[in-house]
Amino acid sequence: MEQYALEQLKTVAKVSTTFKRLELTRRERIERWAESLERSPRPFLKTLHETEYQPIADRMALRDNDTPISVAFADPVLRAAGIENDSYGEAKRFFELSDEQLHELVCFCHFGESVSAAAVARRVRKIVDPKPSGFFAQLRAFFA
């Protein structure tokens, strides 16, 4: 891949350094993340270690290559919508997730060293469309 300075590009193309950020709702961002996970070329992704035990500053900076969060960051639509990097803290901010929700998606203690991208996609979708699972949960939802 060739790289050019901005001034060099201006000689051959109209270059705009401003762009309008793509406006997506929280639900649309989360749905897009699930779709990105389903399309991931890597069937298994890395997890993050002990997210719940890290000091807050360390937890927010947690990242690794080939994680569910890095799949989101690689998606051009989510980048245009404003995801800035592939850290735990950025995923929490961008997708408007609680620590508990994000922990359920990316932590080692739930999956081990790696997790199926499809499994994370299913869990991501449950965040925006939680449906009771199991007989008693469905029965409770029916009467509530």
Side-chain angles (χ1 to χ4, degrees), residues 39-107:
R39 289 190 313 270
S40 174
R42 297 188 182 278
F44 289 92
L45 302 167
K46 294 179 186 174
T47 57
L48 298 175
H49 285 267
E50 299 180 339
T51 63
E52 70 275 34
Y53 299 119
Q54 302 292 327
I56 292 173
D58 293 347
R59 181 182 323 141
M60 293 303 143
L62 277 175
R63 66 153 310 279
D64 200 350
N65 296 325
D66 303 322
T67 66
I69 300 169
S70 65
V71 170
F73 183 58
D75 184 274
V77 172
L78 294 176
R79 294 277 283 272
I83 192 168
E84 296 176 2
N85 60 55
D86 63 353
S87 70
Y88 179 99
E90 179 60 10
K92 182 178 175 183
R93 179 201 67 83
F94 182 73
F95 293 110
E96 300 174 43
L97 300 173
S98 69
D99 280 310
E100 183 179 321
Q101 289 172 316
L102 196 50
H103 173 258
E104 294 285 328
L105 298 173
V106 300
C107 192

